[in-house]
Amino acid sequence: MRLSRRRFVTLSACALATPAWATTERWRGHAFGAEVSLDLRGPRGLVEADLQAVIAQIRALERRFSLYDPASDLSRLNARGKGTLSPEMREILQLSHRVHAATGGLFDPTIQPLWEALAQGEDVLAAQDLIGLDRVMLEADRVKLGEGQKLSFNGIAQGYATDRIAALLVARGYSEALINMGEFAALGGPFRLGLEDPQAGRLGALHLSAGAMATSSPTAMTVGGETHILHPKGGVPMWSTVTVVAKGAGKAALADAASTAFCLMSRSDIETAKQKLGLSRVYLVDVAGNLSSL
């Protein structure tokens, strides 16, 4: 996967009492092109083994969805235009179709040819003609892209990984953890997270309990002179930063995809999509640095 957008959301505090028989560990690493971390509290002697299981899961998902690895499932699919549909690929594509529909097509993983054209100074208009998630066909165990299409899950894979790690920890008996795979998921809580913008700096904070939070900032990086969150229909971002909160388990991928698309949408359209997708809260930072919420 290419370099991820930088996340302007920071962990401010996590004040949890820890019994003598337990330990709290904070692990930091690198995955999906970004710094990732995990705050994990559990019985002494088990936390280290569980952290190793988490790391193994992260690496397995990178082998599925990395654009940096030519042997990954995603790289091979992009090269061949068709391939076997793994359960993980099916889940991420089905959710992509759902958010694509709710956002009027503004969340679209087929944006990858446009990214490549901008990065390499090639024909942008020709690349835009290749965009369209409706041309990606899912069959029983196969996936087929439209002619010339390529996928990028840069706007959803980190959230998907966050959800998978959260599910792994729940299965191992954890009820208190803060997972940061580029997006946040909280088991238990509350955890206090800061709201920040690339230009305006720190603007506030929120408390996250038993849910997920994702943030996107178009100007966090650029490609070919454009903000890295690319408009599938040729428009420009409308917000400096968007943060989406979704309550419940397994919602980080949804929040991730929504925050990406919402950067390109009007306030009224975001409100409509928020209701369709069942999101809890959306925080918007405009280009003047003003923070508001829906």
Side-chain angles (χ1 to χ4, degrees):
M1 182 169 291
R2 65 172 175 264
L3 181 65
S4 168
R5 58 188 179 276
R6 182 180 171 191
R7 304 294 176 171
F8 287 89
V9 180
T10 56
L11 174 64
S12 298
C14 174
L16 296 172
T18 303
W21 53 266
T23 183
T24 299
E25 297 286 346
R26 172 173 289 183
W27 170 79
R28 287 187 173 88
H30 194 81
F32 302 102
E35 291 184 2
V36 298
S37 65
L38 175 66
D39 283 45
L40 192 60
R41 185 176 66 161
R44 294 184 186 277
L46 293 181
V47 170
E48 181 59 33
D50 292 330
L51 284 175
Q52 293 306 310
V54 167
I55 295 168
Q57 176 75 324
I58 291 170
R59 301 310 173 212
L61 291 173
E62 286 188 309
R63 289 192 294 272
R64 292 285 190 201
F65 302 127
S66 174
L67 286 174
Y68 290 125
D69 180 1
S72 73
D73 291 358
L74 181 57
S75 293
R76 288 183 295 178
L77 174 60
N78 283 344
R80 300 170 184 173
K82 57 184 177 181
T84 301
L85 190 61
S86 67
E88 295 87 355
M89 184 74 76
R90 177 180 290 280
E91 286 180 348
I92 210 167
L93 281 171
Q94 287 176 335
L95 181 57
S96 294
H97 277 281
R98 179 187 171 197
V99 181
H100 180 267
T103 60
L106 294 184
F107 179 77
D108 197 317
T110 64
I111 202 80
Q112 180 64 12
L114 179 56
W115 174 282
E116 292 180 352
L118 286 166
Q120 299 165 14
E122 297 176 350
D123 189 344
V124 170
L125 293 179
Q128 286 178 329
D129 288 340
L130 300 175
I131 297 171
L133 189 59
D134 57 310
R135 284 177 256 168
V136 177
M137 300 291 103
L138 305 183
E139 300 174 357
D141 60 352
R142 303 286 293 175
V143 56
K144 183 178 180 181
L145 308 183
E147 184 68 28
Q149 286 191 316
K150 293 182 180 181
L151 296 172
S152 167
F153 295 130
N154 193 52
I156 192 171
Q158 289 170 301
Y160 182 79
T162 304
D163 287 332
R164 292 295 296 266
I165 298 305
L168 183 155
L169 293 175
V170 169
R172 286 175 171 254
Y174 287 88
S175 60
E176 292 282 353
L178 183 68
I179 302 110
N180 171 19
M181 297 293 121
E183 316 301 346
F184 287 95
L187 304 180
F191 296 90
R192 187 168 184 265
L193 302 173
L195 295 170
E196 298 187 11
D197 176 75
Q199 279 73 47
R202 186 180 178 85
L203 295 171
L206 60 83
H207 289 85
L208 183 67
S209 299
M213 184 180 82
T215 294
S216 296
S217 299
T219 60
M221 65 177 293
T222 60
V223 54
E226 301 288 338
T227 61
H228 73 105
I229 296 180
L230 302 175
H231 198 298
K233 302 178 182 180
V236 296
M238 301 186 69
W239 303 96
S240 181
T241 293
V242 175
T243 293
V244 172
V245 177
K247 292 295 185 180
K251 296 297 181 67
L254 175 63
D256 190 7
S259 72
T260 301
F262 288 0
C263 290
L264 311 173
M265 298 168 62
S266 69
R267 188 182 184 91
S268 61
D269 287 343
I270 292 171
E271 178 64 47
T272 300
K274 171 179 176 282
Q275 297 301 321
K276 288 181 179 179
L277 294 171
L279 302 170
S280 302
R281 198 79 170 174
V282 179
Y283 297 88
L284 304 169
V285 181
D286 63 23
V287 294
N290 300 305
L291 174 66
S292 61
S293 67
L294 296 171

